[in-house]
Amino acid sequence: MNYARRAEAHGTWLETHFDWQIRTFWRALLWIAITLLVGGLLTLIVIGIFIVIAGFCIVGLWVAYRVIRGWVALREHRAMPRPAVTQAPGP
């Protein structure tokens, strides 16, 4: 949904909220995949299930933090921070 509606917010402070939500989704998906991969491999020695449970809890808390932070900023009509863009050193 964010990809479909992002163009409507282009150039406004709301654009940062769309980017924030998109980054939250993809990073959470990445960490869930990593958790499942590592936990799945370690399931052979029983500790994997604990890794998966802990990983899901950590990712869930992180997502909750990002959602709450986004809602607070949205209610206060503030833009969300954007990641710093680093440039390669020149010649």
Side-chain angles (χ1 to χ4, degrees), residues 84-90:
V85 177
T86 58
Q87 295 182 357

Side-chain angles (χ1 to χ4, degrees), residues 12-18 20-21 23 64-82:
T12 69
W13 62 276
L14 291 172
E15 182 180 20
T16 62
H17 284 269
F18 282 91
W20 179 265
Q21 291 173 359
R23 283 194 317 268
Y65 159 75
R66 299 223 2 143
V67 167
I68 292 167
R69 184 172 174 194
W71 272 107
V72 168
L74 186 63
R75 195 181 81 207
E76 296 173 355
H77 302 282
R78 286 186 294 118
M80 296 305 297
R82 293 189 178 213

Side-chain angles (χ1 to χ4, degrees), residues 13 22-23 41 53:
W13 62 276
I22 290 168
R23 283 194 317 268
L41 293 173
I53 291 170

Side-chain angles (χ1 to χ4, degrees), residues 21-44:
Q21 291 173 359
I22 290 168
R23 283 194 317 268
T24 300
F25 171 79
W26 286 113
R27 289 177 184 171
L29 187 64
L30 172 68
W31 283 109
I32 290 294
I34 290 170
T35 299
L36 286 172
L37 179 68
V38 171
L41 293 173
L42 292 176
T43 299
L44 298 172

Side-chain angles (χ1 to χ4, degrees), residues 6-7 19 29-30 34 36-37 42 45-46 48-49 51-52 56-58 60 75-77 81 84 89-90:
R6 184 165 62 169
D19 293 339
L29 187 64
L30 172 68
I34 290 170
L36 286 172
L37 179 68
L42 292 176
I45 56 172
V46 182
I49 190 67
I51 299 289
V52 170
F56 277 30
C57 288
I58 291 169
R75 195 181 81 207
E76 296 173 355
H77 302 282

